Amino acid sequence: AQSVSQHNHHVILSEAASLELGCNYSYGGTVNLFWYVQYPGQHLQLLLKYFSGDPLVKGIKGFEAEFIKSKFSFNLRKPSVQWSDTAEYFCAVMDTGFQKLVFGTGTRLLVSP
Amino acid sequence: EAGVAQSPRYKIIEKRQSVAFWCNPISGHATLYWYQQILGQGPKLLIQFQNNGVVDDSQLPKDRFSAERLKGVDSTLKIQPAKLEDSAVYLCASSLAGFKGSSGNTIYFGEGSWLTVV
């Protein structure tokens, strides 16, 4: 069974700072990878996804993530964060066989203006 | 395109009472998921349906939780009797994917049903 680790539980940044959130997964087979965002009081929204091809994936709101297969990692990045990026970020991995989606524990990001 | 619909949005019950949540997935989506998200944690898969069959219910506490997806469309999740630790958001999600071999599918989430057990 697959598992996901997000090592940063809480991150505090000032506006315009750069962001990188770590995500590592454990699974021996082919996977699809996702980052979801949850703004306070709102439902999960898809930020970006990796299925195949170019390992550098661009998502909405200026976010991007890079899939490094050899490291089983899918880190999320943004060059310059805004106050509105304050939210909880979840990395998730899906096995392509059974389509089971497993989430990490999440990273809470607080951006101070 | 309409999203995943869930109801009720909020529910407060006393322990040992029962509660039911309803989910209507995106039209045409074969796969339906129920997740439990406890405050401060990531969503945990409770059950996964493929059409009206169960694909995975290994983390569903079957002594108190049950779920069904009659006719392969809508689904209900029931808790009976509820415990304090069941306080959580119950998320329904759906995807277009068929079972096995359908890679590259995105799962879409509803807004969730917030349960508080007192």
Side-chain angles (χ1 to χ4, degrees):
Chain A
Q2 67 265 45
S3 64
V4 181
S5 295
Q6 291 182 246
H7 305 293
N8 313 103
H9 297 294
H10 294 89
V11 173
I12 301 173
L13 295 172
S14 299
E15 273 193 318
S18 63
L19 170 72
E20 180 159 5
L21 301 182
C23 172
N24 288 90
Y25 68 94
S26 173
Y27 186 69
T30 304
V31 296
N32 297 152
L33 297 159
F34 304 82
W35 275 97
Y36 283 86
V37 61
Q38 190 169 33
Y39 298 103
Q42 296 188 25
H43 64 287
L44 285 168
Q45 300 174 41
L46 182 67
L47 262 184
L48 49 78
K49 59 191 177 185
Y50 172 79
F51 292 153
S52 63
D54 189 344
L56 185 61
V57 179
K58 294 192 183 298
I60 60 171
K61 304 185 180 184
F63 287 91
E64 65 178 30
E66 184 175 13
F67 171 49
I68 303 179
K69 189 174 182 179
S70 61
K71 294 184 178 180
F72 297 90
S73 69
F74 190 56
N75 293 352
L76 180 70
R77 299 194 293 249
K78 186 172 184 178
S80 176
V81 295
Q82 301 173 319
W83 176 79
S84 57
D85 294 324
T86 294
E88 190 154 17
Y89 293 81
F90 294 95
C91 181
V93 59
M94 175 193 283
D95 74 283
T96 57
F98 289 90
Q99 305 283 308
K100 180 177 176 179
L101 185 68
V102 174
F103 285 85
T105 52
T107 297
R108 289 196 172 186
L109 172 65
L110 175 63
V111 180
S112 57
Chain B
E1 178 182 85
V4 177
Q6 291 188 244
S7 67
R9 288 294 315 279
Y10 304 95
K11 191 76 175 178
I12 300 174
I13 61 172
E14 295 182 349
K15 58 183 179 183
R16 291 188 289 274
Q17 286 187 325
S18 63
V19 63
F21 301 113
W22 172 83
C23 173
N24 181 231
I26 294 173
S27 178
H29 280 196
T31 306
L32 185 147
Y33 308 79
W34 282 103
Y35 284 84
Q36 179 193 57
Q37 186 177 15
I38 293 173
L39 188 65
Q41 299 181 19
K44 182 184 83 171
L45 179 67
L46 292 176
I47 189 166
Q48 177 182 345
F49 292 95
Q50 174 66 26
N51 294 310
N52 60 349
V54 175
V55 173
D56 186 337
D57 63 356
S58 57
Q59 297 197 82
L60 186 73
K62 297 180 185 65
D63 57 334
R64 297 183 301 104
F65 285 66
S66 65
E68 61 182 9
R69 190 183 184 196
L70 300 175
K71 300 180 182 178
V73 182
D74 294 5
S75 176
T76 56
L77 175 71
K78 296 180 181 178
I79 307 174
Q80 182 179 13
K83 293 185 175 181
L84 296 177
E85 58 261 37
D86 298 332
S87 295
V89 180
Y90 291 87
L91 299 166
C92 181
S94 69
S95 74
L96 190 59
F99 180 58
K100 286 194 175 181
S102 299
S103 64
N105 283 279
T106 301
I107 296 179
Y108 297 89
F109 284 82
E111 295 191 344
S113 291
W114 298 63
L115 173 66
T116 301
V117 182
V118 298

